Amino acid sequence: MWIMNRILIIDDDRSLLELLQNCMCGLYKVDTAWNGQQGLDKLSRTKYDLVLLDVMLHGENGFEVLGEIRKLYAVPVIMLTAKNSPSDKVSGLEIGADDYVTKPFNMEELLARAASQIRRNTVLKNGILPQEEICFDKITIVPQIKGILKENKEVLLTGKEFDLLYFLASSPKRAYTKKQIYKAVWKNDYVYDNNNIMALVSKIRKKIEDDPENPRIIQTVRGVGYRFGGGQ
């Protein structure tokens, strides 16, 4: 039996909520919330496969809501924003966003991005890919749950955070350029989007390193990019 994925849309634009619900209801089970607190309440009661979150909410903004989500949930989050500034995107990625869509957006593009996030999260979470655990220092990377254990305690990672960490960890001590990392993690041609990469690395380090300012797990290779673990 086919089970529909469930998504939550948090946006204070009632007309947009109605439009998105009408366009997506045949593909997903869709719940809506018109402010951050209502969205968080629904997340506490229901398991979702994706959250679409508006940045410019009244009262508590989308970045603040995203921060609350990331304290408890690893659900993929796509930010909806009327702004297209690199600083906004970096801020969202540092907090834990998985993707960005700028308003006004093409509905087919949004649906494709939503499906991509759900597919990536579902495949790895269900252990469909037979990948082995990777242990280094105090952490264990567990592909079957798309998660990290640090000293046997679970660390919540977003989809992009896990993808980047696992990509580097699969070839320990090998240095990868930002171009190689971007193409592997974002699945797009490299567009010199170094801010996104650096923001994601910074976020991962804060979660897994004992001292993020002096990292042992994800190390910077000057003039090249990053590597997992130390070099020879």
Side-chain angles (χ1 to χ4, degrees):
M1 182 179 65
W2 177 48
I3 300 176
M4 295 180 72
N5 294 110
R6 185 182 292 273
I7 68 173
L8 173 65
I9 307 171
I10 307 174
D11 199 308
D12 55 14
D13 184 335
R14 303 293 183 94
S15 60
L16 180 59
L17 278 180
E18 184 177 354
L19 173 63
L20 290 173
Q21 190 168 29
N22 290 338
C23 291
M24 294 181 151
C25 65
L27 301 170
Y28 307 106
K29 293 180 179 178
V30 180
D31 291 339
T32 61
W34 53 85
N35 60 56
Q37 188 56 57
Q38 187 181 55
L40 292 170
D41 289 344
K42 291 192 175 185
L43 275 165
S44 70
R45 300 192 302 267
T46 305
K47 179 177 174 56
Y48 291 98
D49 300 289
L50 177 69
V51 174
L52 303 182
L53 174 61
D54 184 32
V55 171
M56 302 298 290
L57 294 171
H58 290 303
E60 190 175 28
N61 68 43
F63 294 138
E64 294 170 328
V65 176
L66 177 61
E68 293 300 313
I69 291 174
R70 283 293 169 249
K71 290 178 182 179
L72 297 172
Y73 311 106
V75 58
V77 177
I78 297 178
M79 303 295 287
L80 306 177
T81 177
K83 298 181 179 181
N84 196 28
S85 68
S87 61
D88 278 349
K89 292 185 177 181
V90 170
S91 296
L93 289 167
E94 286 180 338
I95 299 170
D98 292 280
D99 202 356
Y100 260 87
V101 176
T102 304
K103 299 177 181 178
F105 48 78
N106 179 282
M107 186 59 68
E108 290 185 359
E109 179 186 358
L110 177 61
L111 291 174
R113 289 176 179 269
S116 176
Q117 289 296 331
I118 291 173
R119 181 169 58 250
R120 178 181 295 139
N121 190 58
T122 301
V123 166
L124 288 176
K125 181 175 63 180
N126 291 342
I128 296 174
L129 299 181
Q131 299 163 316
E132 295 183 355
E133 296 180 359
I134 298 174
C135 299
F136 177 79
D137 201 22
K138 299 178 182 179
I139 71 164
T140 301
I141 304 173
V142 188
Q144 288 75 17
I145 64 171
K146 201 174 185 180
I148 302 295
L149 298 177
K150 181 176 181 180
E151 297 180 318
N152 293 319
K153 295 181 180 179
E154 184 177 3
V155 177
L156 293 177
L157 297 181
T158 67
K160 281 286 195 301
E161 289 169 359
F162 181 87
D163 290 347
L164 193 155
L165 179 62
Y166 190 81
F167 173 70
L168 294 177
S170 295
S171 298
K173 299 184 181 181
R174 174 180 172 179
Y176 284 97
T177 66
K178 292 183 177 70
K179 179 178 180 179
Q180 290 172 317
I181 294 170
Y182 192 90
K183 292 182 72 173
V185 176
W186 275 265
K187 310 297 183 184
N188 288 320
D189 291 334
Y190 181 60
V191 290
Y192 297 95
D193 198 359
N194 291 340
N195 286 339
N196 280 349
I197 297 172
M198 291 187 291
L200 204 62
V201 168
S202 175
K203 185 67 176 178
I204 298 169
R205 282 172 170 167
K206 289 176 182 178
K207 291 184 177 183
I208 67 175
E209 299 277 4
D210 287 339
D211 182 3
E213 299 300 321
N214 297 284
R216 288 174 43 84
I217 301 170
I218 297 182
Q219 298 187 337
T220 300
V221 181
R222 291 187 179 277
V224 181
Y226 300 99
R227 70 180 169 212
F228 182 89
Q232 296 288 356

